[in-house]
Amino acid sequence: FLEQNGVVIKAEQMQAFDECQARGMSAVAVSLEQKMLGVLGISDPIRPESAQVISALKNMGIVLLF
């Protein structure tokens, strides 16, 4: 998407993007005026009660999409 819009991505920036993804993070590229400013790695660890919450939602008839 960025390259299609004229943003030049340097090799080290692409490496940072790939490293975030390899660590299980969502990688978000930040650019301004066709210049890549950086990469944010966002993670949200699974909480211990997640399985119980998912079961409760299913029991309530809620369809989960993931």
Side-chain angles (χ1 to χ4, degrees):
F1 176 81
L2 293 174
E3 290 174 328
Q4 292 173 353
N5 288 288
V7 177
V8 177
I9 302 172
K10 297 178 183 175
E12 61 268 15
Q13 292 167 324
M14 195 64 214
Q15 182 179 356
F17 192 89
D18 291 340
E19 285 178 19
C20 287
Q21 289 184 322
R23 293 181 183 181
M25 298 179 187
S26 296
V28 178
V30 179
S31 68
L32 178 66
E33 298 178 359
Q34 297 182 320
K35 292 184 182 179
M36 179 102 159
L37 300 178
V39 176
L40 302 174
I42 302 171
S43 67
D44 188 14
I46 297 173
R47 295 169 43 179
E49 66 273 14
S50 295
Q52 290 175 321
V53 171
I54 290 170
S55 291
L57 292 171
K58 286 181 179 179
N59 290 337
M60 293 168 50
I62 296 174
V63 177
L64 304 174
L65 304 174
F66 50 93

